[in-house]
Structures are given as structure tokens and as C-alpha cells.
Amino acid sequence: MQVRTVVIVGAGMAGLRAAAVLRARVIASKLREMMRIVVLEARDRVGGRIYTCPSTGSDHGASWIHGTEDNPLTPIAERVDADLRETQAAALYDPEQKRWLRAKESTHVMEFVLGLSAQAVELSREQHDTIDKDADFGSFCRNQIDANEKLSTLEKRLAHRLINFYTSITATDISKQSLRNYIVEEKWPGDEPLVWNGYSRILEAVAADTQVQHNCVVHKIERGAVHYHNVADNAAGTVLCDAVILAVPLGVLKHGSIEFDAPEAVRGAIERIGFGTAEKMFIQVSRRFWESGAPQAQVSRYPLDSDIFSFCQDPLIDLIPVRSGLLLYSADDLAAKLRKMTDAERKAFVQPYLERMPGYSGESITGLEMTNWLDDPFARGSYSHAPVGQLDTPADCTLLANTCIDDFMWFAGEHADVRGNAIGTAHGAYISGERAANHVLAALFPK
């Protein structure tokens, strides 16, 4: 009886889900003695871009569930008692008038800005082929704001500031996001809650019972073999195999860290799909003054003690209270700027924004912690998006999702998305891992 070996490269959400699907098939069928599953992970932990810091409880990577309805992660989150908290409420500050907006003003502006994405998605869906490939989402937003006669001068000024929060959402500046292909940002139905008590509990449920070989940095894949270097033992290794699921970030594929043969169409898709960088700075403060200082009238319908406030104070500055303190999201140019700073320089940068928050009374910054996904050799950035200048990003993602190289290797990851609106998400990675595993099963064990 021939034993088929399947190698999964990468133990992030996609790779772990692929392993779980393969393992379930082995257990449920007569394949127990016919399939061997090998998971190779370069890090000393699982999760990839999902990581909850054990000491602070801060999520350095994924932290939201983007659309709870029909999302495979929702029932997992419920099963592991994940504390899901909505984050739509926002208290808005006008830095020019140096005042907090009234609830009606905040709601009006926020609803308008949030609606711009839905408008762009609809335009992309209905007029995709006629929209210029160089048209960008940022210009679309600015034109919509300027043309809206229902917005006051103040509301227009704030809307122009607030649209930049889409930079953090997509990990690239809004002027670099494609309007033609903006369909990839279509919102999944349902709420978009923050996993308050750490995304790792969801990841651990997906990873349950999966055996992973850590510290194995894969550098070459060829038909029939995967070659790696174990950095812990400083030893080379090779796994002979019948199939491979390559579940590493798009940034790693772009960097060329792993050598493999691929058709020109696949190489082109990898090059054309955008891959941005979003970084998080976690700020510890001597007292959580914002919990009692935020004006309750400005905080939507959520109770004060369970809500997350968003203080949009500057075009690219958004301080969000989280479990460990305050979170400053940054992306693209701002992320690059902050990465180059020392901790002392970062404190000086944050301090003026801290002082504007309601309830502030001289509290000091006691600690800073910042991610660096761009320089992480096993990430090379954060997640995918549709960049300007491309004709059809959804088609490129679908190509990666459905391509089998040399009847041997499949791709998995948030960039390998057949639905067209799950790139850049943890559930997109999960779905892609399941799809890749099913492709492998169909190829190795045809009915």
C-alpha cells in the first residue's frame, strides 16, 4: 500500500486549516495508513501573522472578525468563549477647533465616511471593465466629499481627515488602492467585532491536534521534494512528498525566499496583487483615564464600560483603547516613519495626541511596544489589497487559488481567494486552506 505524503509549508491560519481538513479525512475514512501529513513552520510558534502577546494580551496581527455572518471563524469564536466587542462607535475630535464633536455631528460624518467604501464596492462591481485601471479610491472619496451638498464645511473637513482610516484597514495609502478592483473590499455581512481577549484562542482551536515541525525554513520546492533548513539545529532537511500546499504570506512569495518553478501567469499574479504593511503601536499609560473621561453622549448605543472608543484626531492618527492600553494603528508611510524612530521619539510623537483625549490630566506614557511585520522575514508585510494600475486583481487572486503547479503544488493564504472579497482577512486564509486541502485530496485519492 503506497503512503502518500503531503507537506504543508507554513503553520498560519491557512496551513493549520489545511492540516485539519486532511487529518479529518484520514480519521473519517480508510486513509489512515495511506497519508502522512508534514507541517513545516519557519517560526518557533504557530499562527504566522496571528499572534497574541502572552505578557500583555495584545494582538500584534489579526484582531477583528470581519463580518460575523456565514464566517467560519464565528462558530469557533463562540465555542472558545472569545469576547467579541463591536467597535463602530467613535468620539470625534476636531483638532482645528480643539473640541469634541456632538453626537449628531460624529454620527453624521462617520456614517457618510463608512458609506464611501460601500459606494466604491458597488461602482467596482457594476462598472469594473470601464473604470480606468489607474483610478484610485482616495480620489473617489475626495470627489464624493466635495460634491456632497448635505455636508457642512466642518463635516467636509473632518470627512477629508477620516477617509484616511481606510489606509490602516487595507495597509496601504488610499491613493494607491484601485477603484476598478475595489470589489475586493466588499464587506462580509454581520458585525465586525474586535476579539478583546486575544485572537490566539481562535487560532489554538484551529491548530488543535496538528503536529508542527518548528524552525524549519523552507528554501526550495521541486516536484517530489521540499528542502528546508532547521535553524534550531543548524541542519538541512528534505521531505520527499506527493503534494505540497504552499501556505506562506504573499510577501514571502514576492520576496522570492522560496525557490519553485511556476508558469508565467502565476508569477505575474504574485507580482500584481498588492501587499501592504500595517503596524501597531501599543501604548501603556499610567492611568486609563479615557474610561471615565469620554463624553457618553458621543458614544453611540454601546455601554461605556464595554465599548471601544476611536479618537480620530489627525489624517492618519487613530488612538483606540484596547485591553493593554492604547493602540495606534499605522500603515504605509506613517508605519515606515514610526519604525525608524526610537522609543523616546515615538513617545514624543504620541504625547500631543494623548493630551487631546477626553479625561487626560497629565498621565504619562509608561511603555511602548511596536510591531514590525515588514522586516519580518516570514511575513514581509501584513496583508493583500488591490493596487492601482492593475486590470483585474480578483482574477489574479482566483488564479492563485485554483492553480495547481505541475500536478503537485497548491497555494493557500488570504491572497488565494476565489470569492473576491476575503483577501486580507483571517477567514479568507482559513477558507483557502480548506480549499487547498480538498484539491489535494481529490488529486491524490480520486473517487
Side-chain angles (χ1 to χ4, degrees):
M1 179 182 298
Q2 182 181 5
V3 177
R4 300 298 186 101
T5 297
V6 180
V7 173
I8 299 171
V9 181
M13 182 65 83
L16 292 172
R17 179 53 183 164
V21 171
L22 294 176
R23 189 175 63 255
R25 176 69 179 275
V26 168
I27 294 173
S29 67
K30 298 179 180 179
L31 302 179
R32 187 178 299 272
E33 304 300 327
M34 299 173 62
M35 183 164 57
R36 171 182 173 233
I37 305 167
V38 178
V39 183
L40 300 177
E41 167 57 45
R43 304 178 190 274
D44 59 2
R45 61 171 179 82
V46 300
R49 289 163 287 168
I50 299 175
Y51 175 67
T52 304
C53 179
S55 60
T56 64
S58 303
D59 277 317
H60 288 201
S63 51
W64 270 266
I65 293 181
H66 296 287
T68 51
E69 295 180 16
D70 300 322
N71 189 319
L73 299 185
T74 301
I76 299 174
E78 294 171 347
R79 189 171 72 247
V80 300
D81 294 324
D83 185 0
L84 306 182
R85 301 194 183 185
E86 260 297 333
T87 58
Q88 290 300 319
L92 305 183
Y93 179 84
D94 178 12
E96 294 190 18
Q97 296 188 4
K98 297 183 179 180
R99 72 174 180 89
W100 290 90
L101 271 66
R102 295 183 296 272
K104 185 176 181 180
E105 291 176 305
S106 293
T107 300
H108 190 205
V109 176
M110 285 300 296
E111 287 182 349
F112 174 80
V113 171
L114 290 172
L116 290 174
S117 179
Q119 293 177 44
V121 165
E122 191 64 22
L123 184 66
S124 174
R125 177 189 294 109
E126 294 183 353
Q127 301 181 36
H128 177 273
D129 292 344
T130 62
I131 299 174
D132 190 281
K133 66 181 179 64
D134 293 320
D136 67 277
F137 176 62
S139 295
F140 168 81
C141 289
R142 288 186 282 271
N143 291 337
Q144 293 297 108
I145 293 170
D146 292 340
N148 192 300
E149 297 179 354
K150 295 182 180 180
L151 293 176
S152 68
T153 301
L154 169 63
E155 289 171 334
K156 285 187 177 183
R157 177 157 51 80
L158 290 172
H160 275 293
R161 292 179 179 273
L162 286 169
I163 57 174
N164 290 286
F165 89 93
Y166 284 113
T167 293
S168 296
I169 292 176
T170 55
T172 193
D173 189 273
I174 56 175
S175 64
K176 301 175 185 177
Q177 297 172 30
S178 169
L179 180 62
R180 177 188 178 100
N181 296 306
Y182 200 77
I183 185 66
V184 301
E185 301 298 334
E186 182 178 20
K187 184 181 180 299
W188 275 47
D191 296 330
E192 293 195 71
L194 177 73
V195 184
W196 183 258
N197 52 352
Y199 223 96
S200 63
R201 61 183 54 231
I202 297 175
L203 181 77
E204 289 166 2
V206 178
D209 301 322
T210 295
Q211 300 296 314
V212 177
Q213 296 183 32
H214 293 286
N215 303 305
C216 295
V217 181
V218 172
H219 57 85
K220 183 177 182 179
I221 301 172
E222 57 185 342
R223 183 171 175 81
V226 174
H227 305 282
Y228 66 91
H229 181 79
N230 188 309
V231 295
D233 298 335
N234 193 26
T238 296
V239 181
L240 302 180
C241 54
D242 301 278
V244 171
I245 296 176
L246 185 53
V248 299
L250 179 64
V252 174
L253 298 180
K254 284 177 172 290
H255 188 263
S257 307
I258 302 175
E259 179 185 347
F260 59 89
D261 291 329
E264 188 59 35
V266 171
R267 295 289 183 195
I270 291 172
E271 180 181 347
R272 289 189 295 269
I273 301 171
F275 196 69
T277 302
E279 305 290 5
K280 296 179 179 181
M281 184 193 299
F282 298 95
I283 307 160
Q284 289 79 50
V285 184
S286 56
R287 184 178 71 89
R288 298 174 69 90
F289 61 88
W290 54 86
E291 292 185 340
S292 59
Q296 293 195 45
Q298 299 172 3
V299 186
S300 187
R301 63 184 182 278
Y302 302 104
L304 186 64
D305 61 354
S306 66
D307 196 20
I308 320 298
F309 309 106
S310 180
F311 304 92
C312 301
Q313 305 182 51
D314 207 72
L316 292 175
I317 301 301
D318 193 9
L319 293 177
I320 306 172
V322 292
R323 192 178 184 185
S324 61
L326 292 171
L327 166 61
L328 188 155
Y329 257 108
S330 64
D332 212 320
D333 291 342
L334 177 61
K337 177 181 178 179
L338 291 174
R339 277 196 306 272
K340 294 177 182 178
M341 292 182 181
T342 64
D343 277 352
E345 291 171 331
R346 290 168 185 162
K347 285 183 180 181
F349 177 86
V350 170
Q351 188 63 38
Y353 302 103
L354 186 71
E355 293 173 1
R356 291 176 184 170
M357 292 177 65
Y360 178 79
S361 58
E363 287 78 10
S364 60
I365 297 173
T366 58
L368 289 176
E369 180 184 17
M370 186 166 179
T371 63
N372 191 357
W373 293 111
L374 181 62
D375 294 331
D376 185 328
F378 310 128
R380 303 287 180 183
S382 299
Y383 41 84
S384 307
H385 66 271
V388 294
Q390 304 306 326
L391 292 174
D392 200 337
T393 300
D396 284 334
C397 294
T398 300
L399 174 68
L400 292 185
N402 290 331
T403 293
C404 175
I405 296 178
D406 205 14
D407 296 323
F408 172 71
M409 188 177 81
W410 289 260
F411 293 98
E414 46 87 12
H415 50 279
D417 172 36
V418 295
R419 292 185 56 145
N421 65 337
I423 70 170
T425 66
H427 66 263
Y430 181 99
I431 292 169
S432 76
E434 183 170 308
R435 182 210 75 252
N438 286 327
H439 280 320
V440 168
L441 289 170
L444 297 185
F445 306 102
K447 295 181 179 178

